Amino acid sequence: MQIYKVGGAVRDRLLGLPVADIDWVVVGATAAQMQAEGYRPVGEDFPVFLHPQTGEEYALARTERKSGQGYGGFTFFASPEVTLEEDLLRRDLTINAMAEDQHGTLTDPFHGQRDLQARILRHVSPAFAEDPLRVLRVARFAARYAPLGFHVAEETQALMRQLSESGELRALTAERSWKEISRALMEARPDVFVQTLRDCGALQELLPEVDALFGVPQPAQYHPEIDTGIHTLSVLRQCAEHRQPLSVRWACLLHDVGKGLTPESDWPRHIAHETRGLKLIRAVNQRCKAPRDCQELALLVGEYHTHGHRALELRPSTLLELLQRFDVYRRPQRFEEFIATCEMDARGRHGLEQRGYPQAAYLRGAATAARAVTVQPLLERGLQGAQLGEALTGERLKALKAYKENAGHM
């Protein structure tokens, strides 16, 4: 039995990056031997075992063969005869197909170290084109390592394009796709993830609503970058620079999809794109099975982001409706994320990335003013039911009128 450290742990050590998770491959062993050594089997699909002390995953060396459509369409063969090189051959990228033994000796049959130094993301073998999930994985690695200067090899892009055109991407389950998309959006350059998918035709297959934004113009006085797709990429880049959570990044990705429905005769204006985009946001949410918090924020941002930009001009009654819609009394964090999304949208414009966003402080102040209104005095007046609700709304409106007036004098 020989044990090797493989994949990301080897890659990141060679890049001088922190190593988070360690994957191990065991060559020359059977499942019975592993269990006799105290390793606990994980599931039935793969020959993977948990170490009795550390809980880390140890997988028997295996080969795989395409047997159907999609990510799950493979049969695996694990036996003591499978070599380390054969196991590494089934991996996606050369930089992920390296192994180290207990002495630190590197096994690198596909020149992953050379590609690390050249900053290239290159597939290991033509079998890459058998697994549609690899399109998303490569785009995610491109997003992660873009700050280090990595790019996708031309021949790998060609295979990604081949997969995109084959229809295989549609065979991916929503759960697998979302896992990659959500991880990619949290990488250092989520905009590179989207651009990489677009370059190989995968964005059109997976997120056609976002793909449709490229080439759609906006008024230059508000959007110096003009192109709505380019604007979306810029907003995502701002999200990463400002370390926004996943829900904000998801909402930013989808906030302008309504502009893809604007008739060309109306360009570059996009009247009512907010409400027009809601059906598209619902469709994407459902197709990707995004978590509930991401779904809710994306819909609210889609409908109200221009309210956020116009916050200082809003009438107190409109401001109150906005606060009620976000339920700022019970869900204050969601309103904070809305404000963050609006700010990223405003900063995601070429040349305006550093411009201040006074609307953020104004909206926070409005929420504080509305929340400061308490129900107790109204209860003491004997109000209840619908009367109590009306009176509470009236008091909050009064508070917002005072807030707006005071803000105007500051």
Side-chain angles (χ1 to χ4, degrees):
M1 186 191 295
Q2 294 169 294
I3 298 176
Y4 298 89
K5 189 184 292 182
V6 294
V10 179
R11 175 197 69 226
D12 287 346
R13 184 189 71 73
L14 292 172
L15 282 172
L17 298 173
V19 174
D21 300 312
I22 299 178
D23 292 319
W24 304 90
V25 160
V26 183
V27 178
T30 64
Q33 281 176 284
M34 295 295 286
Q35 288 179 271
E37 295 276 345
Y39 289 83
R40 302 190 309 278
V42 180
E44 298 176 4
D45 295 341
F46 300 113
V48 177
F49 301 82
L50 298 181
H51 191 282
Q53 274 83 47
T54 66
E56 291 179 325
E57 289 190 356
Y58 285 67
L60 294 183
R62 65 184 189 264
T63 59
E64 61 187 32
R65 184 171 56 83
K66 184 77 168 169
S67 60
Q69 265 206 322
Y71 168 76
F74 292 89
T75 51
F76 297 94
F77 174 70
S79 88
E81 286 74 45
V82 176
T83 67
L84 177 61
E85 285 76 10
E86 286 175 324
D87 182 90
L88 295 175
L89 178 65
R90 68 181 176 78
R91 295 171 188 269
D92 51 6
L93 297 172
T94 60
I95 65 169
N96 295 330
M98 296 180 284
E100 275 180 1
D101 64 15
Q102 59 183 345
H103 306 295
T105 304
L106 189 70
T107 299
D108 181 16
F110 309 107
H111 311 295
Q113 193 169 17
R114 185 180 67 192
D115 284 342
L116 274 185
Q117 290 164 351
R119 301 302 197 240
I120 293 174
L121 301 173
R122 190 194 313 276
H123 63 283
V124 172
S125 78
F128 175 96
E130 295 176 352
D131 185 354
L133 190 68
R134 288 178 168 176
V135 173
L136 286 161
R137 276 177 56 82
V138 172
R140 174 164 65 81
F141 281 120
R144 177 184 298 178
Y145 296 120
L148 298 179
F150 276 81
H151 64 278
V152 181
E154 283 184 25
E155 60 269 31
T156 304
Q157 276 192 325
L159 286 181
M160 291 166 71
R161 196 169 297 112
Q162 179 184 317
L163 267 169
S164 300
E165 291 169 357
S166 72
E168 281 252 349
L169 289 172
R170 293 177 216 136
L172 289 173
T173 65
E175 290 78 11
R176 290 300 308 179
S177 296
W178 176 256
K179 187 176 179 181
E180 291 298 326
I181 291 168
S182 59
R183 289 177 71 184
L185 288 176
M186 294 306 293
E187 297 289 4
R189 289 290 303 276
D191 55 306
V192 170
F193 170 71
V194 176
Q195 185 64 60
T196 302
L197 291 181
R198 185 162 190 270
D199 290 342
C200 70
L203 191 64
Q204 190 173 9
E205 291 293 309
L206 296 165
L207 295 168
E209 299 85 353
V210 177
D211 190 67
L213 298 178
F214 290 86
V216 174
Q218 303 170 102
Q221 66 265 38
Y222 304 119
H223 287 277
E225 70 284 351
I226 299 176
D227 189 294
T228 309
I230 300 300
H231 166 64
T232 300
L233 296 182
S234 300
V235 175
L236 284 177
R237 187 161 185 182
Q238 288 298 310
C239 283
E241 289 184 11
H242 292 268
R243 300 181 180 277
Q244 297 297 347
L246 176 61
S247 54
V248 169
R249 298 185 192 208
W250 181 245
C252 282
L253 177 67
L254 302 180
H255 78 286
D256 265 349
V257 290
K259 291 182 179 178
L261 297 176
T262 304
E264 286 188 32
S265 56
D266 292 343
W267 287 355
R269 300 174 72 206
H270 298 278
I271 297 166
H273 76 275
E274 304 89 350
T275 50
R276 207 165 35 229
L278 294 179
K279 64 181 179 182
L280 298 184
I281 296 173
R282 284 192 193 95
V284 179
N285 277 338
Q286 192 172 5
R287 190 170 67 246
C288 293
K289 292 193 176 170
R292 186 174 172 181
D293 63 327
C294 291
Q295 292 200 29
E296 289 179 355
L297 187 67
L299 282 165
L300 286 165
V301 165
E303 188 170 1
Y304 293 107
H305 61 278
T306 46
H307 276 55
H309 300 325
R310 293 178 46 246
L312 278 66
E313 310 159 27
L314 296 180
R315 295 193 305 263
S317 58
T318 308
L319 197 52
L320 179 60
E321 285 171 20
L322 180 68
L323 297 175
Q324 307 271 50
R325 187 72 180 81
F326 276 85
D327 192 8
V328 295
Y329 317 106
R330 293 180 300 178
R331 304 277 298 276
Q333 184 56 33
R334 186 167 65 177
F335 193 60
E336 260 309 309
E337 291 178 357
F338 166 71
I339 294 170
T341 308
C342 292
E343 184 168 355
M344 296 307 99
D345 182 23
R347 290 182 183 277
R349 297 178 293 164
H350 288 191
L352 303 175
E353 294 86 354
Q354 303 305 319
R355 181 181 281 191
Y357 194 69
Q359 295 93 324
Y362 183 80
L363 286 168
R364 286 190 189 100
T368 300
R371 279 197 294 264
V373 175
T374 58
V375 73
Q376 193 57 37
L378 303 176
L379 291 172
E380 288 170 2
R381 282 165 47 191
L383 297 175
Q384 53 186 314
Q387 280 187 319
L388 178 64
E390 285 174 23
L392 189 58
T393 298
E395 290 300 314
R396 285 169 175 163
L397 185 57
K398 200 183 298 181
L400 288 173
K401 284 177 179 174
Y403 171 73
K404 184 174 178 66
E405 195 173 319
N406 290 337
H409 295 310
M410 289 171 69

